[in-house]
Amino acid sequence: MNALEFQNRTKAMAVRVIRLTEALPNTRSADVIGRQLLRSATSTAANYRAACTAKSKHDMINKLRIVQEEADETMFWLELIIDTNTLPLERINDLRGEVQQILKMTIASINTLSRNTKPR
């Protein structure tokens, strides 16, 4: 998968999260979780886009680490929605799988770049 395809994939994930947050019930806890989920998912996509314009391999690695953190946080909020039965598992499971794949690919990219980059 090339960088543009991965950009599109992270953006599509963010769009799915936007739609999911619109489906959350109108409760205080769902509002808090939804806002956090929305922030972390959109940040994943935005930070990957920034990583694609990195000035160096070190800069790209640092930006990808932010993508990793945000994707992991997105997983946390999705898990919290599941654990609290805020939405049915069937509604979230596919999205959770997609976020997990994005997280794994980001970690693999960081590891590959780190192996191929001289230390500063």
Side-chain angles (χ1 to χ4, degrees):
M1 175 173 296
N2 67 35
L4 182 58
E5 291 170 333
F6 199 67
Q7 267 186 25
N8 290 335
R9 192 165 175 180
T10 58
K11 185 178 175 184
M13 179 272 298
V15 168
R16 289 176 67 187
V17 166
I18 290 168
R19 292 187 178 127
L20 180 91
T21 58
E22 293 298 321
L24 290 172
N26 191 15
T27 64
R28 189 171 11 176
S29 60
D31 182 56
V32 170
I33 292 168
R35 286 175 191 266
Q36 293 294 107
L37 173 61
L38 196 54
R39 284 186 184 104
S40 63
T42 55
S43 182
T44 299
N47 280 294
Y48 182 74
R49 189 173 182 134
C52 290
T53 61
K55 310 264 186 287
S56 66
K57 284 186 180 181
H58 290 287
D59 188 31
M60 179 176 260
I61 291 167
N62 289 333
K63 289 178 182 195
L64 286 173
R65 286 186 176 131
I66 295 169
V67 172
Q68 178 186 355
E69 289 174 16
E70 296 295 336
D72 187 56
E73 183 178 338
T74 300
M75 284 296 296
F76 171 78
W77 296 116
L78 290 172
E79 290 168 3
L80 208 54
I81 290 171
I82 292 166
D83 293 348
T84 59
N85 296 313
T86 303
L87 286 176
L89 180 61
E90 303 79 42
R91 178 76 197 267
I92 298 173
N93 227 12
D94 187 54
L95 178 57
R96 188 174 60 159
E98 177 64 4
V99 175
Q100 186 66 42
Q101 286 300 312
I102 288 170
L103 185 56
K104 286 180 182 179
M105 288 187 282
T106 302
I107 292 168
S109 294
I110 292 167
N111 290 339
T112 299
L113 281 167
S114 295
R115 278 193 304 274
N116 297 329
T117 304
K118 294 177 187 173
R120 285 187 176 184

